[in-house]
Amino acid sequence: MRSCPACGSANREDDDFCGNCGSYLGWSSRAARNPPATNDVDESSDHSGSAGPTTGTPVNPATGTTPDATDPAPGSPPVEPTRSRTPEPSGPPPAEPAPAPEPPPRPAQPAPVRPEPSADDTPVVAVRPAEPIARRPVVRPVAAEEEPDGPPCPACGTPNLPGRRFCRRCAAPLQTREQPKPLPWWRTVWPFRRRVRTGSGRVLRRTLLALAVVGLLFAGFLLLPAGRYVYEDVRDKLGGTAEISPAETTASSRASGHPAASAVDGLTNTYWGAPTLGSSLTCVFDKPFRLVGVVVHTGVSKEPREFRQGARPTQADLIVTTSDGEVHEKAVTFADKPGPQTVRTGISDVVSVRLVLRAAAGRGEGRPIAIGEVEFFKRT
């Protein structure tokens, strides 16, 4: 087993990377799988230079003599072989041949290192000096290495043992994390934008979100009427309008020949005549509606010369009643000139409208205060 230098986890001998932290384990320190094994020399095998007990003695071809039967001791200089004499032939002596040159002395050679014989080895026979016999290698069967049975690496496909977090060959992570889902668009806008560091700014974002919610609730509680008024006013300006006629029209008092119905008949040359200030004109509607505005035609006629001959209102109170009984009162000032004059209201669920005269111009004996026409408009 190999220990990781970073975390100390145990790994297999053939692992290149740590299974716990993915650190590189360094170059493999495994020994050769099939180391050459030696065995004692087989004494019965034939080898050049090895000789067993033979019949006869070798003859030196140069001198014709035989060497001594004993081998020189290891480390001692070689002994020069002795020459044997041949028998002298009978007859005249032949010419004495020239003496053969003596061979140069052989250099001293180191003593061969003989291997230690084991108990089960056969006896080592004598060999020629300076020619050691190498031991023959013996191939020993090695059990095949079992590959780990586990999930393959997603990068290189190498099988790994269960429980490893990194590949033993390429150090790729074996436990891949699921990719997070894309954030919605509102999470990409500050202060809801997620930062790179985990947890960075989370408390600040939550605090700002809570403060924003509290502020909206508080503003809605205080400004709800004003907000609703602004919303309805925008709808009134953007939407269309239509004229609506009252179901019933009454007056608190009237001049002879000028009833209250003359104020809502659609004609400007007829009018409702109020004998005194404080008189009122009441219009009732059959169903609630959104009252956008009221258009009032003052005077006896829209012609300027005839307009100056009669009395006409200059100030009045517009009292609007809704379906829930709420009363809205508004003071209105009219211009002293002929033509329509518009009063914007913007009130919802209106069921009745009352116009009370407060001031008038051109008053005189036999001159009633004239209201030529009153028109009501609703939102469509």
Side-chain angles (χ1 to χ4, degrees), residues 170-186:
C170 63
L174 300 178
Q175 300 175 358
T176 58
R177 298 180 180 178
E178 297 182 359
Q179 296 295 332
K181 297 181 179 179
L183 298 177
W185 67 268
W186 59 271

Side-chain angles (χ1 to χ4, degrees), residues 22-101:
S23 301
Y24 183 58
L25 299 178
W27 301 107
S28 178
S29 60
R30 293 177 297 167
R33 292 189 178 182
N34 298 328
T38 59
N39 196 4
D40 296 333
V41 179
D42 188 3
E43 302 300 337
S44 62
S45 61
D46 296 335
H47 191 276
S48 61
S50 66
T54 58
T55 58
T57 57
V59 180
N60 191 336
T63 59
T65 60
T66 60
D68 293 339
T70 61
D71 293 334
S76 61
V79 181
E80 186 179 359
T82 57
R83 300 180 181 179
S84 61
R85 296 181 179 180
T86 56
E88 298 180 357
S90 60
E96 184 176 355

Side-chain angles (χ1 to χ4, degrees), residues 238-300:
L238 296 180
T241 58
E243 185 179 357
I244 182 172
S245 299
E248 182 183 358
T249 304
T250 59
S252 61
S253 61
R254 65 183 181 87
S256 178
H258 302 285
S262 299
V264 292
D265 58 359
L267 301 175
T268 58
N269 56 356
T270 60
Y271 60 91
W272 165 62
T276 59
L277 292 177
S279 301
S280 62
L281 179 70
T282 304
C283 299
V284 180
F285 302 89
D286 54 356
K287 59 181 180 179
F289 68 100
R290 170 79 178 178
L291 181 62
V292 177
V294 179
V295 177
V296 179
H297 297 261
T298 61
V300 295

Side-chain angles (χ1 to χ4, degrees), residues 156-377:
C156 64
T158 304
N160 295 269
L161 291 175
R164 290 182 64 96
R165 294 188 296 176
F166 297 91
C167 178
R168 61 191 183 98
R169 282 288 176 267
C170 63
L174 300 178
Q175 300 175 358
T176 58
R177 298 180 180 178
E178 297 182 359
Q179 296 295 332
K181 297 181 179 179
L183 298 177
W185 67 268
W186 59 271
R187 290 294 302 274
T188 61
V189 181
W190 191 90
F192 307 104
R193 181 172 57 248
R194 179 181 296 176
R195 300 185 180 181
V196 176
R197 294 178 297 173
T198 303
S200 177
R202 181 178 300 174
V203 177
L204 177 61
R205 290 196 300 271
R206 292 181 177 179
T207 303
L208 293 178
L209 180 61
L211 292 177
V213 172
V214 173
L216 290 176
L217 294 177
F218 184 75
F221 178 76
L222 295 180
L223 305 177
L224 181 60
R228 183 177 179 182
Y229 174 78
V230 172
Y231 173 73
E232 295 293 345
D233 185 66
V234 172
R235 290 187 60 189
D236 293 342
K237 294 179 179 179
L238 296 180
T241 58
E243 185 179 357
I244 182 172
S245 299
E248 182 183 358
T249 304
T250 59
S252 61
S253 61
R254 65 183 181 87
S256 178
H258 302 285
S262 299
V264 292
D265 58 359
L267 301 175
T268 58
N269 56 356
T270 60
Y271 60 91
W272 165 62
T276 59
L277 292 177
S279 301
S280 62
L281 179 70
T282 304
C283 299
V284 180
F285 302 89
D286 54 356
K287 59 181 180 179
F289 68 100
R290 170 79 178 178
L291 181 62
V292 177
V294 179
V295 177
V296 179
H297 297 261
T298 61
V300 295
S301 176
K302 63 179 181 180
E303 297 295 333
R305 187 173 56 180
E306 296 180 3
F307 178 80
R308 297 292 179 183
Q309 294 178 359
R312 58 271 178 192
T314 56
Q315 292 182 359
D317 291 337
L318 188 65
I319 301 174
V320 180
T321 304
T322 61
S323 60
D324 56 356
E326 185 178 0
V327 178
H328 300 267
E329 185 174 354
K330 184 177 182 179
V332 181
T333 300
F334 299 111
D336 191 13
K337 63 179 182 179
Q341 301 187 45
T342 303
V343 180
R344 298 190 60 86
T345 54
I347 302 174
S348 300
D349 301 330
V350 175
V351 293
S352 67
V353 177
R354 185 159 62 100
L355 185 64
V356 181
L357 303 179
R358 298 301 181 187
R363 295 181 61 189
E365 185 66 25
R367 292 182 178 183
I369 304 172
I371 299 292
E373 190 71 22
V374 179
E375 299 174 345
F376 303 95
F377 291 88

